[in-house]
Amino acid sequence: MPKKIVEATVIGQRVLNSSTKLIEVYAPELAELAVPGQFVNVQVFKGTAPLLRRPFGVAAVNQKEGTITMIYRIIGDATKLLAEYCSGDKLSIVGPLGRGFDMNAEHPLLIGGGLGLAPLLYLAAGFGKGKAEIVMGGRTADELFWTKLYEDLCPVMHLTTDDGSCGTKGTVMAVLPELLASGKYDVIYVCGPVPMMKAVAEAAKEYDVKCQVSLEKYMACGLGACLSCSCQGIGKRLKVCTDGPVFWAEEVGEW
Ligand code: FES
């Protein structure tokens, strides 16, 4: 699969909530190649010293403008530094990496929580406006700022929050069985916390609906060389960075 090391130029950043930002960069080579579900490895600099590269799912692509967008939570040294990057600053990015989603679906249902909603955003765009429905779960209404990003792409949204402050009270599993029982969907795409993905994969099996999962693992190299991202598949070890991050649910042995 073709991948490149590029020097990307920051177009701008936007605050999405108290701990989450969206960054758009000019990187036409990546915009041309990246498909939904793939990720990029971004290097930020502290002074002149580079920190390790960090993986970010591709959240949006604008091929005409030559830009890609990533959404990240500010939680460690690298993302704290990244949050300070301004328009015109440069970032070294390797990508696009990994295996993306199989988009062969007539009636797709996307299910996401937390930053798992970032790669699903590009998937929703890939399907085209109005084709995919989405189930979004968060702890509180504040975590569902994603609705603004999705409203044009997925007019049909099913929302859940743990505290009931927005949508149905509970996890995504509070609404999923009824949705699947309708028989309306042919493929489910899920990305988010592991317990959520596991529960969704089990429900998909019960209702006999195909299911793709996008796994998140710590990734040191992102290139298949270090094994830091390996997980147990059915009958073999899987490298999330090169065999995935997207897998069919039945390929995953241990969550
Ligand atoms: Fe190094 Fe996957 S991150 S092998």
Side-chain angles (χ1 to χ4, degrees), residues 218-230 239-242:
Y218 171 76
M219 292 186 198
C221 74
L223 301 168
C226 73
L227 301 184
S228 67
C229 66
S230 74
K239 291 181 205 165
V240 171
C241 68
T242 49

Side-chain angles (χ1 to χ4, degrees), residues 229-251:
C229 66
S230 74
C231 70
Q232 190 58 46
I234 299 298
K236 60 176 181 175
R237 298 290 294 173
L238 300 171
K239 291 181 205 165
V240 171
C241 68
T242 49
D243 297 325
V246 177
F247 297 94
W248 290 105
E250 60 267 25
E251 292 180 275

Side-chain angles (χ1 to χ4, degrees), residues 9-94:
T9 306
V10 176
I11 304 287
Q13 302 216 47
R14 186 147 55 99
V15 174
L16 297 179
N17 80 351
S18 56
S19 59
T20 314
K21 280 186 121 174
L22 175 156
I23 183 166
E24 186 180 20
V25 302
Y26 178 72
E29 303 96 324
L30 301 181
E32 196 185 321
L33 294 172
V35 298
Q38 289 190 300
F39 64 99
V40 293
N41 250 350
V42 178
Q43 190 166 50
V44 292
F45 284 78
K46 190 172 192 171
T48 54
L51 298 180
L52 273 180
R53 291 184 183 275
R54 296 289 190 282
F56 297 94
V58 177
V61 163
N62 185 330
Q63 283 192 341
K64 217 164 116 195
E65 304 287 336
T67 64
I68 65 167
T69 296
M70 296 156 282
I71 295 173
Y72 63 97
R73 194 172 288 141
I74 305 165
I75 43 170
D77 288 349
T79 45
K80 272 184 198 147
L81 282 172
L82 184 61
E84 287 165 15
Y85 274 59
C86 299
S87 173
D89 288 345
K90 306 288 183 190
L91 281 171
S92 169
I93 302 183
V94 179

